[in-house]
Amino acid sequence: MRLRFSWPLALLTVFLTFVASAEAGSRTPSAPGATVDFSNLSDGDVVPPGFTVRFKVSGMGIAPAGSEIENTGHFHLLIDLPELPDLDQPLPANDHIVHFGKGQTLTNLDLPEGAHTLQLLLADYAHVAHDPPVMSKVITITVSGDAPPPADS
């Protein structure tokens, strides 16, 4: 059996491969100067077990996952994450990366007593970090049964 070479088929294959690779590696642009942070926590805070964490964003809006709206995203809370995942891929959901795909801007955490790191990361409609990424600095908090209840819980 002899195979025949087809230029149209070859060009179509090259084109589709290019489009697929470009889409797989592309990230949604973030708005210039956009930031995310914790509105009720700071680095070094001591918090009681079962505390509320509030998120804030500046320069972009919040939209649920799946909503492809320019200059929006939804929060992901990184807890005790040893290293960032590949930001060109959708963020996995696990004990260290908590998704807030409904557009939530706060959560209640019940972490074991001791030191913990927290960081916020905004991601697009497909759970992929923006380009450049919109993320907070890593903060360290300590959960302690002796901590007074927060004033804004």
Side-chain angles (χ1 to χ4, degrees), residues 35-120:
T35 62
V36 293
D37 209 347
F38 300 99
S39 63
N40 67 327
L41 292 176
S42 298
D43 191 44
D45 279 356
V46 178
V47 297
F51 61 100
T52 300
V53 181
R54 298 179 196 282
F55 318 140
K56 65 181 179 179
V57 63
S58 176
M60 291 184 70
I62 299 298
S67 299
E68 191 173 356
I69 302 168
E70 186 176 0
N71 291 326
T72 66
H74 62 280
F75 288 107
H76 295 78
L77 179 60
L78 314 180
I79 304 171
D80 297 328
L81 190 66
E83 66 180 47
L84 287 174
D86 181 355
L87 298 182
D88 290 328
Q89 299 297 317
L91 295 165
N94 56 44
D95 291 341
H96 298 286
I97 303 174
V98 183
H99 292 240
F100 296 92
K102 294 180 183 176
Q104 307 96 307
T105 58
L106 64 88
T107 191
N108 293 313
L109 286 182
D110 192 11
L111 298 174
E113 290 199 26
H116 298 278
T117 60
L118 301 176
Q119 184 176 27
L120 286 173

